[in-house]
Amino acid sequence: MNIQAYISQICDELSETVGHVCNDSAEKLADAIIDAETVFVAGAGRSGLAMKNFAMRLMHLGFDTHVVGETVTPSITEKDVLLIGSGSGSTSSLVTSANKADAIGVTICLITIDENSPIGKLAEVVLPISAPSPKIDRDVGFRSVQPLGSLFEQSLLLTLEAIILLLMERTGKTPESMFTRHANLE
Amino acid sequence: MNIQAYISQICDELSETVGHVCNDSAEKLADAIIDAETVFVAGAGRSGLAMKNFAMRLMHLGFDTHVVGETVTPSITEKDVLLIGSGSGSTSSLVTSANKADAIGVTICLITIDENSPIGKLAEVVLPISAPSPKIDRDVGFRSVQPLGSLFEQSLLLTLEAIILLLMERTGKTPESMFTRHANLE
Amino acid sequence: MNIQAYISQICDELSETVGHVCNDSAEKLADAIIDAETVFVAGAGRSGLAMKNFAMRLMHLGFDTHVVGETVTPSITEKDVLLIGSGSGSTSSLVTSANKADAIGVTICLITIDENSPIGKLAEVVLPISAPSPKIDRDVGFRSVQPLGSLFEQSLLLTLEAIILLLMERTGKTPESMFTRHANLE
Amino acid sequence: MNIQAYISQICDELSETVGHVCNDSAEKLADAIIDAETVFVAGAGRSGLAMKNFAMRLMHLGFDTHVVGETVTPSITEKDVLLIGSGSGSTSSLVTSANKADAIGVTICLITIDENSPIGKLAEVVLPISAPSPKIDRDVGFRSVQPLGSLFEQSLLLTLEAIILLLMERTGKTPESMFTRHANLE
């Protein structure tokens, strides 16, 4: 198969999957971000990269934002939000962070395949994504041609991109105002 | 607008943009990766995150892969490939890396909006993506609803995901064999 | 006080602390590194930076080396070594990694203040550093003028630098041969 | 040789080198940090790790701090300081950042072996460290037993640790107040 054939399959899978993202959950996630003093994001592996992708745009929008594990990330408090992206909702290091955050009284939000996962049970807001997972035996109505958690990770990334558009609408921020905050030393 | 309305717009923009990715260029990129002793990837900001996303899967496929700037990234030699993702093709730090690589005789590949950019001129393989850019005045036939380089960055990521499927086909690797290389300490 | 007064205090504290590093433990650590197929290093916060500092030099020496959590870090196997730097020996995310590694049969090495910590109990080789800690109530014979875990982190870093000199002697590597592996795209 | 013999050599080299750090330059560096709206730090390779080590403590002290190249690092303005650690003072990617910062009117500070380097010429404050360098032919009165830029990198790190003590004195911050800002999700 050539790349256009593969691209077509990926786009179909992706549209199908993100087409099920729930409007209400997304609104609640946007509310939690707007209400937080600081937004902390966390994720492992490729889901972690999607969370960083989102954090960068939150910063461009003027939200005080940090990635768990980066150099200047401070302590989290009960006024903050911890947003986790995790297909399984059970990655050990993220469960640890979620438990610590929960004990502090932090608002936890989760984007996941599995609402009933350990992190899902701690989260105030859960946005489910109906993608297959190598770790979870689950019928999503089709079989992805893509390996491992790729379809979840792509769906996570695109869902977060759409939340950026929601947040732009809500805060009245323009691409121009966002560009003034864009890193300018590279 | 609600998130489903935004998701629909993003998916339409994305399908339109990646629908123009050239089969031949993608094959040449896959060839360059297969022929290289080691694959080095580089990118700045959110394009850099898309390149890391790709590097992780290359590693799962068994390719010796490094991200420029990470801790254990060694020196590059003329047997290696440097794959850069850059919308403008002119990000200073990446131009510097490309020039150094070129002087060493490294094969340079570029995924970019602008084929005629400084890095484009050094690259043996260029895969163009027809997306709008905040830095380049250019008509792509429509105006993205998304801020800054978002549509390029998403297209870069999905194009690389499709190249992973190409490489799986070419190398005969399965999701199962890829999973055995997946990080197992998190 | 001026900076020379502070530098003098830091150097005194540091010499006193690393002066107690045990020759035998250091030899065992060097043995474990030489015998491993791949060396994985891990640490949180500033201890994590010291481990990355070490990983870079191991790579220069030609050891196959990875930092837990970086992009192209593969799965660990029982032929590998996991070297952790942790003052308390009880950082949650590192305990999680150590438990996973232990279940796989990986050789675990630890540089720590507390030999009897959770990770200490899993480790085959423990190199103790006699520094004060904000998390451990313990008399090391003096009170550091430095905040938090600074003296441990500095001692960890210098001990690892001395292990590099041990490894150079053992492997016959020269600075010149190391320089050829040094990253050359920055 | 055993590790204590190597540790002793490293401590001697290090004391000798940081013993020449200039009180006046250190005061000027501390002034620049205190006067800045935001502190940006940058460095490549192991010098970059030393700068991250410093950035983490600046954050603990309550300074608004960012590492160039990390996810949520915003744009720099003329009210900010860019502090670079670079042995040669001529690393391409850092020269690029320094030139961009200079054009914006940012205050540039440099810790380096070579005051007359390209970045040295742009910097308002230069703190010289008299260490040998693999890139600079220069007599520092002795030959380091350590490879590549190790002695510079260690001296950079310890000098920055002493500047933390200066800043604690100036701002009246205690280890206890610093601990409340320490990352608490790991």
Side-chain angles (χ1 to χ4, degrees):
Chain A
M1 280 171 62
N2 64 25
I3 198 167
Q4 277 302 333
Y6 283 127
I7 281 177
S8 173
Q9 284 185 322
I10 293 174
C11 285
D12 287 351
E13 290 188 356
L14 199 42
S15 299
E16 168 72 19
T17 306
V18 293
H20 288 99
V21 166
C22 163
N23 284 320
D24 267 14
S25 302
E27 294 294 336
K28 282 181 192 154
L29 203 55
D31 289 341
I33 289 168
I34 287 172
D35 292 346
E37 196 165 285
T38 304
V39 182
F40 289 72
V41 308
R46 302 198 343 152
S47 296
L49 295 172
M51 300 312 291
K52 288 185 177 182
N53 211 54
F54 184 57
M56 214 178 281
R57 277 287 182 269
L58 286 183
M59 178 270 287
H60 293 155
L61 280 169
F63 290 101
D64 192 16
T65 309
H66 285 288
V67 179
V68 174
E70 289 207 341
T71 305
V72 297
T73 303
S75 53
I76 198 168
T77 77
E78 78 285 353
K79 295 175 187 164
D80 303 328
V81 125
L82 173 62
L83 171 58
I84 296 175
S86 170
S88 69
S90 66
T91 308
S92 306
S93 59
L94 299 173
V95 174
T96 298
S97 291
N99 277 316
K100 294 193 174 196
D102 186 56
I104 294 164
V106 173
T107 302
I108 299 172
C109 301
L110 174 68
I111 306 184
T112 186
I113 296 172
D114 186 1
E115 300 175 62
N116 301 313
S117 56
I119 304 176
K121 284 170 187 159
L122 297 172
E124 198 160 304
V125 180
V126 179
L127 190 151
I129 288 184
S130 184
S133 157
K135 297 188 197 161
I136 307 168
D137 187 21
R138 183 188 163 123
D139 181 13
V140 296
F142 67 95
R143 215 179 124 67
S144 172
V145 298
Q146 300 189 80
L148 311 176
S150 289
L151 183 53
F152 170 75
E153 294 142 12
Q154 295 155 8
S155 301
L156 171 63
L157 187 130
L158 281 205
T159 300
L160 292 168
E161 295 290 63
I163 290 174
I164 290 297
L165 296 181
L166 270 186
L167 291 169
M168 285 176 70
E169 184 184 318
R170 293 264 204 101
T171 61
K173 291 280 160 55
T174 62
E176 290 68 33
S177 72
M178 293 169 74
F179 193 61
T180 64
R181 282 188 206 84
H182 191 288
N184 56 356
L185 291 181
E186 294 162 6
Chain B
M1 280 170 61
N2 64 24
I3 198 168
Q4 277 302 333
Y6 283 128
I7 280 177
S8 172
Q9 284 185 323
I10 293 174
C11 285
D12 286 351
E13 290 189 356
L14 199 42
S15 299
E16 168 74 18
T17 305
V18 293
H20 288 99
V21 166
C22 164
N23 284 319
D24 267 13
S25 302
E27 295 294 336
K28 282 181 192 153
L29 204 54
D31 290 339
I33 288 168
I34 288 172
D35 293 345
E37 195 164 287
T38 303
V39 181
F40 289 72
V41 308
R46 303 201 339 153
S47 297
L49 295 172
M51 300 313 291
K52 288 184 176 180
N53 211 54
F54 183 57
M56 215 177 280
R57 278 287 182 269
L58 287 183
M59 178 270 286
H60 294 155
L61 281 169
F63 290 101
D64 191 16
T65 309
H66 286 288
V67 178
V68 174
E70 290 206 342
T71 305
V72 297
T73 303
S75 54
I76 198 169
T77 77
E78 78 285 354
K79 295 175 189 165
D80 303 329
V81 125
L82 173 63
L83 171 59
I84 296 175
S86 170
S88 69
S90 65
T91 308
S92 305
S93 59
L94 299 173
V95 174
T96 298
S97 291
N99 276 317
K100 293 193 176 196
D102 185 56
I104 294 163
V106 172
T107 302
I108 300 172
C109 301
L110 174 68
I111 306 183
T112 186
I113 296 171
D114 187 0
E115 301 175 62
N116 301 312
S117 57
I119 304 175
K121 284 170 187 160
L122 296 172
E124 199 160 301
V125 180
V126 178
L127 190 152
I129 287 183
S130 186
S133 157
K135 297 188 196 159
I136 305 168
D137 187 20
R138 183 188 163 124
D139 182 12
V140 296
F142 66 95
R143 216 180 122 67
S144 172
V145 298
Q146 300 189 81
L148 310 176
S150 289
L151 183 53
F152 170 74
E153 293 143 12
Q154 295 154 8
S155 303
L156 171 62
L157 187 130
L158 282 204
T159 300
L160 292 168
E161 296 287 64
I163 290 174
I164 291 296
L165 296 181
L166 270 186
L167 291 169
M168 285 175 70
E169 183 184 318
R170 293 265 204 102
T171 61
K173 292 280 160 55
T174 62
E176 289 68 33
S177 71
M178 295 169 73
F179 193 61
T180 65
R181 281 188 205 84
H182 191 288
N184 55 356
L185 291 181
E186 293 162 6
Chain C
M1 280 171 60
N2 63 25
I3 199 167
Q4 277 302 331
Y6 284 127
I7 280 177
S8 173
Q9 285 185 323
I10 294 173
C11 285
D12 286 352
E13 290 188 356
L14 200 42
S15 299
E16 168 72 17
T17 306
V18 292
H20 288 99
V21 166
C22 164
N23 284 320
D24 267 14
S25 303
E27 294 294 337
K28 282 180 193 153
L29 203 54
D31 289 341
I33 289 168
I34 288 172
D35 292 346
E37 196 165 286
T38 303
V39 182
F40 288 72
V41 308
R46 302 198 345 151
S47 297
L49 295 172
M51 300 312 291
K52 287 184 177 181
N53 211 53
F54 184 57
M56 216 179 280
R57 279 285 183 269
L58 286 183
M59 176 272 285
H60 293 154
L61 281 168
F63 291 101
D64 192 16
T65 309
H66 285 289
V67 178
V68 175
E70 290 206 341
T71 306
V72 296
T73 303
S75 54
I76 198 168
T77 77
E78 78 284 354
K79 295 175 188 165
D80 303 328
V81 126
L82 173 62
L83 171 59
I84 296 175
S86 170
S88 69
S90 65
T91 307
S92 307
S93 59
L94 299 172
V95 173
T96 298
S97 291
N99 277 318
K100 294 193 175 195
D102 186 55
I104 294 164
V106 173
T107 302
I108 300 172
C109 301
L110 175 68
I111 306 185
T112 186
I113 297 172
D114 186 1
E115 301 175 61
N116 301 313
S117 56
I119 304 176
K121 285 169 187 160
L122 296 173
E124 198 160 303
V125 180
V126 179
L127 189 152
I129 287 183
S130 186
S133 158
K135 296 188 197 159
I136 307 168
D137 187 21
R138 183 190 164 121
D139 182 12
V140 296
F142 68 94
R143 214 180 123 68
S144 171
V145 298
Q146 300 190 78
L148 310 177
S150 289
L151 183 52
F152 170 75
E153 293 142 12
Q154 295 154 9
S155 302
L156 172 63
L157 186 130
L158 282 204
T159 300
L160 292 169
E161 295 288 65
I163 290 174
I164 291 296
L165 297 181
L166 271 185
L167 291 169
M168 286 175 70
E169 185 184 318
R170 293 265 203 102
T171 60
K173 291 280 160 57
T174 62
E176 290 68 32
S177 72
M178 294 168 73
F179 193 60
T180 64
R181 280 189 206 82
H182 191 288
N184 56 357
L185 291 182
E186 295 163 4
Chain D
M1 282 172 60
N2 63 26
I3 199 168
Q4 277 301 332
Y6 283 127
I7 280 176
S8 173
Q9 284 185 324
I10 293 174
C11 285
D12 286 353
E13 289 189 357
L14 199 42
S15 298
E16 168 73 18
T17 305
V18 293
H20 288 100
V21 166
C22 164
N23 284 320
D24 267 15
S25 302
E27 294 294 338
K28 281 181 192 153
L29 203 55
D31 289 341
I33 288 168
I34 288 171
D35 292 346
E37 196 165 285
T38 303
V39 181
F40 288 72
V41 309
R46 301 200 342 153
S47 297
L49 295 172
M51 301 311 292
K52 288 185 176 180
N53 211 54
F54 184 57
M56 216 179 279
R57 278 286 183 268
L58 287 183
M59 177 271 284
H60 294 155
L61 281 168
F63 290 102
D64 191 16
T65 309
H66 285 288
V67 179
V68 174
E70 290 206 342
T71 306
V72 296
T73 303
S75 54
I76 198 168
T77 77
E78 77 285 353
K79 295 175 188 165
D80 302 328
V81 125
L82 173 63
L83 172 58
I84 296 174
S86 170
S88 69
S90 65
T91 307
S92 306
S93 59
L94 299 172
V95 173
T96 298
S97 291
N99 277 318
K100 293 194 175 195
D102 186 56
I104 293 163
V106 173
T107 301
I108 300 171
C109 300
L110 175 67
I111 306 184
T112 186
I113 297 170
D114 186 0
E115 302 176 60
N116 301 311
S117 57
I119 304 176
K121 284 170 187 158
L122 296 173
E124 199 160 302
V125 180
V126 179
L127 190 152
I129 288 184
S130 186
S133 157
K135 296 189 197 158
I136 306 167
D137 187 20
R138 183 189 164 124
D139 182 12
V140 296
F142 67 95
R143 216 179 123 68
S144 172
V145 298
Q146 299 189 80
L148 310 177
S150 289
L151 183 54
F152 171 75
E153 293 143 12
Q154 295 154 8
S155 302
L156 172 63
L157 186 131
L158 282 204
T159 300
L160 292 169
E161 295 287 65
I163 289 175
I164 291 297
L165 296 181
L166 270 185
L167 290 169
M168 285 175 71
E169 184 185 319
R170 293 267 203 100
T171 60
K173 291 279 160 56
T174 62
E176 289 69 31
S177 71
M178 294 168 74
F179 193 62
T180 64
R181 281 189 206 83
H182 192 288
N184 56 356
L185 291 182
E186 295 163 5

